[in-house]
Amino acid sequence: MRVLTLTIEGFDPVRFTRLNQDFHRLLFRRCPNSHLLDLVERDWRRLDGLRETTFSFIPQRSRASVAEHDHLLTLLARGSPAEIEQTARAHRLTTLA
């Protein structure tokens, strides 16, 4: 697994947002429900600007976001659905806060 090191110096919020979107899409595109997938894609497009500005104004959130993603990947590899759900919800709430 590749380790991503984030620093504020030289931080590119637009690029980080794209990478963040790629990470999330990689996960949710495995959903077999095309209707649900369409809803998620539309929601993501609607919120694109918000995500970009979030990482522009609060670049330190990117470091926490990557750590949360890493933890989710560990849980996915372990296959613990309840813990994955709880952690994903916490990630979303933390991002909103």
Side-chain angles (χ1 to χ4, degrees), residues 4-79:
L4 178 63
T5 303
L6 292 172
T7 62
I8 299 302
E9 186 177 308
F11 178 73
D12 181 351
V14 174
R15 183 167 184 264
F16 184 84
T17 298
R18 266 189 246 116
L19 292 169
N20 185 55
Q21 290 168 333
D22 291 348
F23 173 82
H24 283 264
R25 283 191 173 103
L26 181 70
L27 295 177
F28 69 68
R29 282 200 172 140
R30 295 180 52 102
C31 177
N33 183 328
S34 61
H35 177 68
L36 183 58
L37 189 56
D38 181 58
L39 289 172
V40 171
E41 283 283 359
R42 281 191 281 151
D43 192 45
W44 269 79
R45 282 191 300 274
R46 186 175 57 82
L47 296 173
D48 278 348
L50 176 65
R51 286 185 186 87
E52 189 173 307
T53 57
T54 296
F55 294 122
S56 294
F57 292 114
I58 313 168
Q60 63 274 19
R61 174 67 192 127
S62 58
R63 187 180 308 265
S65 181
V66 169
E68 292 162 10
H69 291 169
D70 188 50
H71 183 59
L72 279 165
L73 289 173
T74 300
L75 295 175
L76 286 165
R78 231 187 272 158

